[in-house]
Amino acid sequence: MTTNDHSASFPSKKISWRGTTLLLVFGVIFIASTLRMPLTVVGPIISFIRDDLGISNVLAGFLTTIPLLAFATISPFAPVVARKLGLELTLFLSTILLALGIVLRSLGTTGLLVFGTVLIGIAISFGNVLIPGLLKLKFPYHVGLLMAFFTMSMNLTAGLGAGISYPIANSSFGWQGALSIALVLVVVTILIWIPQLKSNKPEPATTSKMTSTPLWKSPVTWAVTGAMGLQSLLFYTTAAWIPEIYIAQGLAPDKAGWMFSIMQFSQVPMALAVPIIASKMASQRPLVVMFTFFYLIGFTGVVMEWTSLGVLWMILLGLAGGSSFALAMMFFTLRTRTAFEAADLSGFAQSLGYLFAAIGPILFGYLHDLFGGWNIAGWLFVAVATILFFCSMRASKDEYVH
């Protein structure tokens, strides 16, 4: 299944916003809506889960790390499965697996909580990895626009999940109801995606052969991997520790919790704009300079404890995070020639990238304990943002992985 084979379905450089095309766009948007909400509902209600089940803080904290480890483990295999089964069928089956994971996680026992979380991590891995390739396959002239819809939907529902989970857990529905709320979107996604199965085809063996240069030998691959991994590390580490940092600086716990929500929603404008802009640029380096500036100013404001301007720092970090994530996702299509090559690069980069992300919060907490405060740990943000700059600049060069 080559890009050229399927681009014939959309020969015009204009999208016809009706019929099967519109249904596919909605399908992509709804898949995106299921890839973060099942994760972001957990953090605000950890205390409810811990107290009701009587689990340790270590296990409670591990609930947010399990999906990242699943991403790191499963991502390289997603393109292999998609080649055998076809992209559309693989995404459909992964969404059913996601629904199963959400149901099991919400049944109220420790064992099923952990097992369901593992299934959720496995299922989301497929959507993370395969959607960039699918967009390159189906919309070769409009990857930036469709990626913008994808990343915006992901960020909006992630913020929504973080915002509604605590009120739901604090109601008669309990924490089980809060964990299962994402099931509504998943069921709708399954129904909307069914028509896509008609166009599902495994990749022909003649196009499955590897190129002469293995993916891991390309400098571009490692630059893209670094960009994906380091921006993920920054996101998941701030998600884990920004509220604690602001509480230590004297902010009330409820206000400290809102700081991350402000950062999350501030990502949305850039998640929408950056893919469109990046797709029209031969080199994306001006975007890298922009988000690095936002990162450095925002993190410096946090570390220097200029807490009175905390909302400004969170907005800047949200703009930076939305830009760097959207650009990292675009690299999978910009630096490859075919849909399955994009899926291969996506799987490789996300596997190592989410491994970095899983290490980040642990390392940050270790530095806090080692030095007895957040100052030294906070400067790690600045250091990582600086390294991210160099990786992203290299990945922004107009060339392919092979």
Side-chain angles (χ1 to χ4, degrees):
M1 187 191 309
T2 64
T3 303
N4 291 335
D5 291 334
H6 278 252
S7 63
S9 302
F10 305 95
S12 172
K13 291 189 177 183
K14 280 190 175 182
I15 294 181
S16 176
W17 295 103
R18 62 178 185 266
T20 56
T21 304
L22 190 60
L23 195 60
L24 175 57
V25 171
F26 274 115
V28 169
I29 290 172
F30 269 88
I31 285 181
S33 75
T34 67
L35 298 183
R36 288 297 177 270
M37 182 185 274
L39 309 181
T40 59
V41 295
V42 177
I45 61 171
I46 281 288
S47 59
F48 290 92
I49 300 171
R50 181 192 61 213
D51 296 343
D52 188 44
L53 295 180
I55 61 178
S56 66
N57 279 316
V58 173
L59 180 55
F62 196 56
L63 292 176
T64 60
T65 306
I66 288 173
L68 300 181
L69 296 177
F71 297 167
T73 304
I74 300 300
S75 292
F77 301 103
V80 178
V81 176
R83 278 191 161 92
K84 298 288 187 184
L85 301 182
L87 282 166
E88 293 87 351
L89 178 58
T90 303
L91 287 166
F92 179 73
L93 294 176
S94 69
T95 308
I96 292 176
L97 183 65
L98 179 58
L100 177 61
I102 292 173
V103 170
L104 293 178
R105 185 178 69 171
S106 307
L107 291 180
T109 70
T110 303
L112 290 177
L113 176 69
V114 173
F115 182 59
T117 301
V118 171
L119 294 184
I120 288 170
I122 293 172
I124 291 175
S125 299
F126 284 89
N128 284 342
V129 170
L130 298 180
I131 286 294
L134 179 78
L135 297 183
K136 191 175 184 73
L137 187 70
K138 298 291 188 177
F139 301 96
Y141 299 117
H142 306 281
V143 173
L145 177 63
L146 272 295
M147 189 67 78
F149 292 158
F150 176 75
T151 55
M152 183 183 68
S153 178
M154 190 185 298
N155 279 281
L156 279 174
T157 51
L160 179 64
I164 65 175
S165 63
Y166 185 89
I168 293 174
N170 205 30
S171 71
S172 58
F173 292 102
W175 62 265
Q176 294 96 328
L179 288 184
S180 63
I181 191 65
L183 187 63
V184 176
L185 283 173
V186 175
V187 171
V188 173
T189 301
I190 291 171
L191 296 176
I192 289 179
W193 197 251
I194 289 174
Q196 305 309 321
L197 299 179
K198 295 178 182 178
S199 59
N200 181 75
K201 292 180 182 178
E203 186 191 22
T206 54
T207 64
S208 297
K209 296 176 182 178
M210 296 294 292
T211 58
S212 57
T213 305
L215 197 64
W216 63 270
K217 287 189 176 181
S218 170
V220 179
T221 297
W222 290 102
V224 172
T225 299
M228 183 68 202
L230 293 170
Q231 66 82 24
S232 296
L233 185 151
L234 289 175
F235 173 76
Y236 286 102
T237 306
T238 50
W241 294 113
I242 279 292
E244 292 294 327
I245 292 173
Y246 275 117
I247 289 172
Q249 293 179 10
L251 220 58
D254 58 337
K255 291 183 179 179
W258 270 107
M259 286 298 185
F260 176 70
S261 294
I262 292 170
M263 188 185 83
Q264 183 69 52
F265 283 113
S266 297
Q267 291 190 7
V268 173
M270 290 303 189
L272 178 61
V274 165
I276 298 172
I277 297 170
S279 67
K280 299 179 184 300
M281 304 172 75
S283 169
Q284 293 73 38
R285 288 179 174 179
L287 295 174
V288 177
V289 172
M290 177 193 70
F291 73 63
T292 302
F293 176 78
F294 290 155
Y295 268 135
L296 294 180
I297 298 299
F299 283 133
T300 299
V302 172
V303 176
M304 296 300 292
E305 300 189 15
W306 297 330
T307 312
S308 60
L309 294 175
V311 172
L312 174 61
W313 312 140
M314 291 301 99
I315 291 174
L316 289 174
L317 292 179
L319 295 174
S323 302
S324 58
F325 172 71
L327 188 56
M329 295 294 286
M330 280 299 294
F331 284 148
F332 302 144
T333 62
L334 292 171
R335 303 284 83 91
T336 56
R337 292 183 175 86
T338 68
F340 281 100
E341 193 175 62
D344 285 337
L345 179 60
S346 178
F348 184 95
Q350 293 199 52
S351 176
L352 293 181
Y354 283 115
L355 186 60
F356 292 155
I359 293 170
I362 299 170
L363 176 61
F364 201 85
Y366 172 76
L367 290 175
H368 167 266
D369 293 343
L370 182 64
F371 293 101
W374 294 111
N375 188 266
I376 299 298
W379 287 112
L380 178 65
F381 284 136
V382 176
V384 172
T386 302
I387 302 171
L388 172 60
F389 168 78
F390 290 107
C391 289
S392 298
M393 288 293 278
R394 179 63 180 84
S396 294
K397 188 178 179 180
D398 185 18
E399 62 179 296
Y400 296 114
V401 290
H402 294 303

